[in-house]
Amino acid sequence: MDSERDVRAQLQRAGQDHLLRFYADLAPEARAALLAELASLEADALREHCQRAAAAGALAPGPLPDLAARLQPLPPERVGSAIRCDQETRLRWEEEGFRQISLNKVAVLLLAGGQGTRLGVTYPKGMYQVGLPSQKTLYQLQAERIRRVQQLADQRQGTHCTVPWYIMTSEFTLGPTIKFFKEHDFFHLDPTNVVLFEQRMLPAVTFEGKAILERKDKVAMAPDGNGGLYCALADHQILEDMKQRGVEFVHVYCVDNILVRLADPVFIGFCVLQGADCGAKVVEKAYPEEPVGVVCQVDGVPQVVEYSEISPEIAGQLGADGGLLYNAGNICNHFFTRGFLDVVTREFEPLLRLHVAMKKVPYVDEEGNLVKPLRPNGIKMEKFVFDVFQFAKNFVAFEVCREEEFSPLKNDDTADRDNPSTCRRALLAQHYRWALQAGAHFLDVHGVQLTEQSGLLPNGDPPAICEISPLVSYSGEGLEMYLQGRQLQSPFILDEDQARLLRPQDC
Ligand SMILES: CC(=O)N[C@H]1[C@@H](OP(=O)(O)O)O[C@H](CO)[C@@H](O)[C@@H]1O
């Protein structure tokens, strides 16, 4: 291990020796831990990182310069739609998706390294439950959708397939996520098919270019953004693991969308049949300021412009049809071939831009007191997962229905949108729709049948509570045999046990 003297000398050259300011106060173990952390940061790399962060932080925040002149919507030939296609085409995509799944060629990869600051929880977002009758967490819903999609592929193709689940965590989320999965017996998935790995961390830096101490013996670090994926894939030989399993197509998604369709056969099938190496699911933007990235072209190349980097004027621009010109909202559901990921990790990763986020970073002041700042005091640098789109040979976007596929959990319930209540409602409203489509009727608390016209309540709640386990239905399929013509009392939970009870004898 490097001695204090060596580390101090290196840090001095890097202009970062304040990080050893409290060294003399520390107990032996804390000293050793701090030296090890500082040595692993490598003084030269640290200097470069801090200079870069300060320079990037000094630029005016917000929209990129000249963006307006360089931006265009995606050309129509790059965009497919699950909404505006005929039934036959959709079935063809779905069939192809299931075929690839049954051949074990499809994996899902979850981006779950974030800290959930906006939601205000100290544990991983995937462990959050939004108050469904079943009390299922986001992780459980996702695990069950994987089990169901495998089962559907097997039923169609007569196989016994696996959709491996890769989960990128960070220093913050790895430990609690593993513990949670173990406590829940991996939600009945085979643990060998759940691969957790960790993304890298980067130091948080003051506006003056100094790394921040969050404790006397610890540098403030933050995950390197969801675009840290590409370094993490290489660090942990994840692409080799995929190759060994025969995985060719990867559905990458972020943890917070309660309606996410893991390994969605329609999306996978569309991308495969288009010969795409990279793809993104989009929904029509709901309003100009909606905090979603816009999938578009910059200088003729497909890219996402993040909501924090687009000006209100551009975001509000209207197209010929009177709708938003840049209306392809990124829902952080991406398709990549393994081949594309391989080239990205080997060649393009170093070209990824670092984006600046100004954050409130707790720190120790000169006297060694912990301070929780009220205003942003530090810069965190992040890579974005979608910044690799520009390197794709054949990029496609795929439009899906927001109501069916997108309701993200970003904020706590004090916010108006994208909070636990809106997520819960989105899921329950969807299940209520599915049940009606399958021919069910609901009774109100007085036993009176609700009419088809009973729309959502003013607060967005469905008129009756109905929750359908993903183990019974993945996207609304196969419900008629349980629900056709039934009168159901709210709340109604269609889990596997209930399904067994309701199943006609001859099935
Ligand atoms: C870097 C990145 O992936 N940003 C994504 C991501 O935003 P966050 O605010 O970082 O959760 O999810 C949004 C969809 O929920 C998507 O619109 C946006 O572009």
Side-chain angles (χ1 to χ4, degrees), residues 118 226 256 291-293 306-307 330-332 384-386 406 408 410:
R118 282 175 285 172
N226 59 14
D256 58 20
V292 291
E306 188 63 321
Y307 54 90
N330 171 37
I331 63 168
C332 206
F384 289 170
V385 65
F386 50 64
F406 184 53
K410 307 279 185 198

Side-chain angles (χ1 to χ4, degrees), residues 111 118 125 225-227 254 256-257 290-295 304-307 328-334 355 382-387 406-410 418:
L111 304 169
R118 282 175 285 172
K125 253 193 194 182
N226 59 14
C254 70
D256 58 20
N257 176 10
E290 187 181 17
V292 291
V294 170
V295 185
V304 177
V305 178
E306 188 63 321
Y307 54 90
N330 171 37
I331 63 168
C332 206
N333 269 250
H334 308 316
H355 300 260
E382 294 181 339
K383 293 176 201 166
F384 289 170
V385 65
F386 50 64
D387 274 348
F406 184 53
S407 178
L409 179 62
K410 307 279 185 198
D418 302 343

Side-chain angles (χ1 to χ4, degrees), residues 451-470:
T451 63
E452 289 282 323
Q453 283 70 43
S454 316
L456 300 183
L457 304 179
N459 68 359
D461 278 342
I465 301 293
C466 168
E467 184 183 350
I468 299 171
S469 165

Side-chain angles (χ1 to χ4, degrees), residues 4-20:
E4 183 216 338
R5 227 183 43 200
D6 292 344
V7 175
R8 197 179 286 277
Q10 288 160 13
L11 287 177
Q12 249 156 13
R13 283 198 300 278
Q16 302 292 332
D17 51 322
H18 63 284
L19 296 174
L20 282 171

Side-chain angles (χ1 to χ4, degrees), residues 192-205:
T192 58
N193 297 327
V194 182
V195 180
L196 287 100
F197 60 103
E198 206 177 327
Q199 70 183 106
R200 296 185 190 175
M201 306 283 281
L202 290 172
V205 179

